Amino acid sequence: MKILVINAGSSSMKYQLIDMSDESVLAKGNCERIGVDGHFKHKTGDGREYEKDVVMNNHTEAFVQIKNILIDEKYGVIKSLSEVSAIGHRIVQGGSLFSESTIINEDVIKGIESLIPLAPLHNAAHVQGIRACIEVFGSDVPEVAVFDTAFHSTMPQKAFMYPVPYEYYEKYGVRRYGFHGTSHRYVSHRCAELMGKDIKDLKIITCHLGNGSSITAIDKGKVIDTSMGLTPLDGIMMGTRTGSLDPSVVTFIAEKEHLSPSEMDTILNKKSGFLGISGVSSDDRDVSAAADDGNERAKLAIDILEYEILKYIGSYMAVLGGADAIVFTAGIGENQKSHRENVCKNLAYMGVKIDTEANEKTIHGKEGKISAPDSSVDVFVIPTNEELVIARDTMMLTK
Ligand code: ADP
């Protein structure tokens, strides 16, 4: 069974074709700058690469590029489109409507559309992506929606409510939803596998640290709290996002600088975080290199990040009543060994002990335990694989 995984953004469409017999990636790529000019990249599992500028005015035109390359004589990986058994879509916002993955029909599309106010850029793009697939493949190929928010739907109300007037929750659904759920689900289950235990017997704190970052507290396989909120802006500082703030900072700056809500939104989402503090870059590699060269603001950005990771882990330890494991994942979590080491060293008071050598070695997509055998909490690096989770859910629902 071959499953096509689609992740449609506002101006991009990423894809992977996965052979579920051995879960290998047959091909993957990205249509970038859709509606602007257009750039298409494609790579096969056996290393053939194709890249070109091509005008893509909308998601349907982008999807035609994907369809054509998959069956192309030189760069293709299947003989006919009929080999694609099902399509799985990543959907960012499932709101309170979707607590698990679901087969897509017109009602589901309407549901995803109804959540556009909560995730304007993402959900609108996902709907375009779904419609593009239906247009090109017809309705015979089943499609499945896998939601970033779904894994977090088990949070208790005390964790997901914001203490603003209750009517805003009732009228607009203002609450914490959490994101990166597919990643937190994958790494927590993989962690249980690596520990040789049932996830129902474990308390795990998962740290997804990438361009966007979130930390989640998981008890017996169920999320009980997570750092992202109504939108992905909440929680720890990120590449260009602030993370949590005193809300008065927002009104204070807006008044002083005469900024509209949407201008403020751009500052909080696109100009803050690593970029805002360091003035160097939103990318941890650039900021770390600048810090190594003695740039004080770059050093400060890294100090803030490590401090905030530590604070979240500490608070989730309290919420969970201790933890059996901490997991690091995503670009920063999988690669930035010094952040992992600095955070874990600060948890020594509760018996967390890092194995420095294992930590140094576990980078660039490697998976493994980085805590010492006598550490009170196991610490793992587990490369995330959201596409595989989407493909597995799609297979389960359509087989
Ligand atoms: P996204 O949230 O966009 O999926 P990623 O998970 O790819 O982002 O994470 C991007 C971050 O991870 C960047 O800050 C980058 O510096 C860091 N990162 C990615 N790869 C590496 C690497 N090989 N070494 C160090 N840092 C990396």
Side-chain angles (χ1 to χ4, degrees):
M1 188 175 195
K2 293 177 184 118
I3 292 190
L4 183 60
V5 176
I6 295 289
N7 180 356
S10 51
S11 66
S12 70
M13 199 180 215
K14 292 193 193 126
Y15 63 94
Q16 279 195 13
L17 184 67
I18 300 180
D19 183 343
M20 297 310 285
S21 63
D22 58 359
E23 298 190 332
S24 61
V25 177
L26 297 173
K28 63 177 173 183
N30 192 7
C31 303
E32 295 164 5
R33 302 172 61 82
I34 299 170
V36 185
D37 38 26
H39 189 73
F40 181 48
K41 279 190 216 162
H42 169 86
K43 190 173 176 185
T44 63
D46 57 16
R48 287 168 287 148
E49 285 184 49
Y50 175 86
E51 188 167 348
K52 75 164 178 180
D53 289 329
V54 51
V55 176
M56 294 175 272
N57 289 308
N58 51 47
H59 287 72
T60 305
E61 289 183 19
F63 196 68
V64 169
Q65 294 294 329
I66 298 172
K67 176 202 85 153
N68 288 343
I69 201 88
L70 289 176
I71 51 172
D72 185 78
E73 261 187 31
K74 198 162 168 206
Y75 297 100
V77 286
I78 48 177
K79 292 209 165 57
S80 137
L81 286 182
S82 62
E83 287 181 49
V84 176
S85 308
I87 302 174
H89 291 267
R90 177 205 177 202
I91 310 292
V92 165
Q93 181 56 277
S96 303
L97 288 181
F98 301 103
S99 56
E100 53 192 25
S101 302
T102 178
I103 293 201
I104 294 174
N105 56 30
E106 206 44 48
D107 284 345
V108 171
I109 298 178
K110 285 203 183 101
I112 297 169
E113 257 169 346
S114 74
L115 296 166
I116 287 176
L118 289 175
L121 294 179
H122 286 110
N123 272 34
H126 300 325
V127 171
Q128 288 182 45
I130 293 169
R131 295 225 184 270
C133 291
I134 295 175
E135 209 173 313
V136 173
F137 266 81
S139 47
D140 289 347
V141 179
E143 305 200 20
V144 167
V146 179
F147 301 89
D148 268 25
T149 45
F151 187 50
H152 301 301
S153 65
T154 51
M155 264 187 291
Q157 201 171 13
K158 66 182 176 192
F160 74 64
M161 286 301 288
Y162 291 119
V164 292
Y166 199 82
E167 63 183 284
Y168 299 126
Y169 169 60
E170 293 177 310
K171 272 205 272 190
Y172 309 119
V174 171
R175 50 159 284 187
R176 177 185 308 284
Y177 290 102
F179 298 90
H180 295 140
T182 315
S183 174
H184 291 289
R185 172 152 67 112
Y186 174 78
V187 298
S188 58
H189 281 264
R190 183 75 192 128
C191 172
E193 263 173 45
L194 293 174
M195 292 175 82
K197 293 200 171 145
D198 190 327
I199 197 161
K200 293 209 172 76
D201 298 324
L202 293 171
K203 296 169 184 217
I204 306 174
I205 298 172
T206 48
C207 307
H208 177 112
L209 310 173
N211 216 357
S213 300
S214 64
I215 300 186
T216 297
I218 302 164
D219 191 13
K220 304 185 181 76
K222 293 204 157 85
V223 171
I224 57 167
D225 208 345
T226 189
S227 63
M228 282 182 167
L230 174 72
T231 71
L233 185 56
D234 202 358
I236 60 170
M237 182 185 80
M238 309 177 212
T240 58
R241 297 188 192 123
T242 55
S244 308
L245 293 173
D246 175 353
S248 303
V249 171
V250 181
T251 45
F252 183 89
I253 295 174
E255 272 182 19
K256 288 277 177 212
E257 300 270 319
H258 309 293
L259 298 170
S260 68
S262 98
E263 286 168 329
M264 227 21 245
D265 190 72
T266 303
I267 289 176
L268 300 171
N269 274 293
K270 305 246 162 78
K271 299 192 171 168
S272 299
F274 257 28
L275 178 65
I277 291 288
S278 72
V280 172
S281 165
S282 62
D283 193 297
D284 193 306
R285 284 165 289 201
D286 302 335
V287 178
S288 292
D292 289 344
D293 286 345
N295 181 317
E296 288 300 327
R297 275 173 50 188
K299 274 193 210 159
L300 176 63
I302 286 169
D303 282 350
I304 295 174
L305 178 71
E306 291 176 353
Y307 182 63
E308 294 197 340
I309 298 168
L310 180 67
K311 278 209 292 193
Y312 266 98
I313 292 177
S315 70
Y316 287 169
M317 284 275 187
V319 158
L320 288 166
D324 300 295
I326 298 170
V327 180
F328 289 101
T329 191
I332 295 173
E334 290 167 28
N335 293 295
Q336 291 292 29
K337 48 199 186 206
S338 60
H339 301 346
R340 299 189 305 228
E341 184 170 345
N342 293 337
V343 168
C344 289
K345 277 189 172 158
N346 276 298
L347 294 167
Y349 75 94
M350 55 170 76
V352 175
K353 219 178 198 181
I354 196 152
D355 175 337
T356 318
E357 206 177 308
N359 183 46
E360 292 281 321
K361 279 198 238 154
T362 315
I363 51 170
H364 300 152
K366 285 211 192 94
E367 176 185 85
K369 186 153 130 179
I370 58 164
S371 51
D374 58 342
S375 177
S376 61
V377 180
D378 284 351
V379 184
F380 291 94
V381 173
I382 301 177
T384 194
N385 198 339
E386 289 156 289
E387 289 78 12
L388 183 58
V389 177
I390 295 171
R392 283 179 182 167
D393 278 13
T394 304
M395 181 167 86
M396 193 185 66
L397 287 170
T398 59
K399 182 156 87 160

